[in-house]
Amino acid sequence: MSYDSSPSYPYRHAPQNAPSYDATYPWQPPTPPPEPARLRRPAQPALGHHSDLRILRSAHRWQRRTATLTALGYFTLFLILSAFAPSFMSSTVADGLPTGLLLALLQIPVTWLAIALYEHTARRYVDPIADRIRKQSELDAKREAAR
């Protein structure tokens, strides 16, 4: 068999100036050329990759654990004392007031203490980080709008 180079041959290689197809099928559109590289890099990394978000998550996690362990720790201590130290819980503190009742009534102030601790740690640790991230995201949004 010989190669027929006549124009009547049904399929020939594309001429040199024809667009090249990387697609599997010839009727598919050509793949777009890669986008040109940006000339200018942003001054700071994108907000989603910012280390302040990790700091904020860890501060909020510490805040939740501290407040939760304060309230639940006292309640667990009260339950353990009720189950394993009934003589201590039934002993009187003053004027016939049993220790168990006094410890039960102290759960309300301990819950308030946990709430106050939660608010204190929020104001001191979490809120400043959140404010800094909020301001940074507003600046990033203004920069993107200016482009």
Side-chain angles (χ1 to χ4, degrees), residues 12-78:
R12 294 175 48 132
H13 294 288
Q16 293 290 347
N17 58 359
S20 65
Y21 289 96
D22 293 334
T24 305
Y25 302 103
W27 57 84
Q28 286 181 335
T31 56
E35 293 185 20
R38 288 189 174 186
L39 299 176
R40 200 174 84 183
R41 289 183 61 188
Q44 292 191 355
L47 186 63
H49 302 291
H50 208 276
S51 65
D52 280 346
L53 290 176
R54 286 190 299 270
I55 294 169
L56 179 65
R57 279 194 303 267
S58 66
H60 189 253
R61 193 177 308 123
W62 181 83
Q63 173 194 22
R64 285 188 322 238
R65 286 179 186 161
T66 304
T68 303
L69 290 177
T70 301
L72 288 180
Y74 182 80
F75 182 69
T76 304
L77 175 69
F78 176 74

Side-chain angles (χ1 to χ4, degrees), residues 43-127:
Q44 292 191 355
L47 186 63
H49 302 291
H50 208 276
S51 65
D52 280 346
L53 290 176
R54 286 190 299 270
I55 294 169
L56 179 65
R57 279 194 303 267
S58 66
H60 189 253
R61 193 177 308 123
W62 181 83
Q63 173 194 22
R64 285 188 322 238
R65 286 179 186 161
T66 304
T68 303
L69 290 177
T70 301
L72 288 180
Y74 182 80
F75 182 69
T76 304
L77 175 69
F78 176 74
L79 288 178
I80 290 172
L81 287 175
S82 297
F84 296 111
S87 61
F88 173 72
M89 296 297 273
S90 62
S91 64
T92 57
V93 178
D95 295 331
L97 181 66
T99 308
L101 182 60
L102 180 66
L103 291 177
L105 291 174
L106 282 176
Q107 284 183 353
I108 294 171
V110 168
T111 304
W112 290 340
L113 175 70
I115 292 169
L117 184 65
Y118 188 87
E119 290 178 359
H120 172 73
T121 55
R123 271 188 251 113
R124 183 161 183 177
Y125 299 108
V126 179
D127 290 347

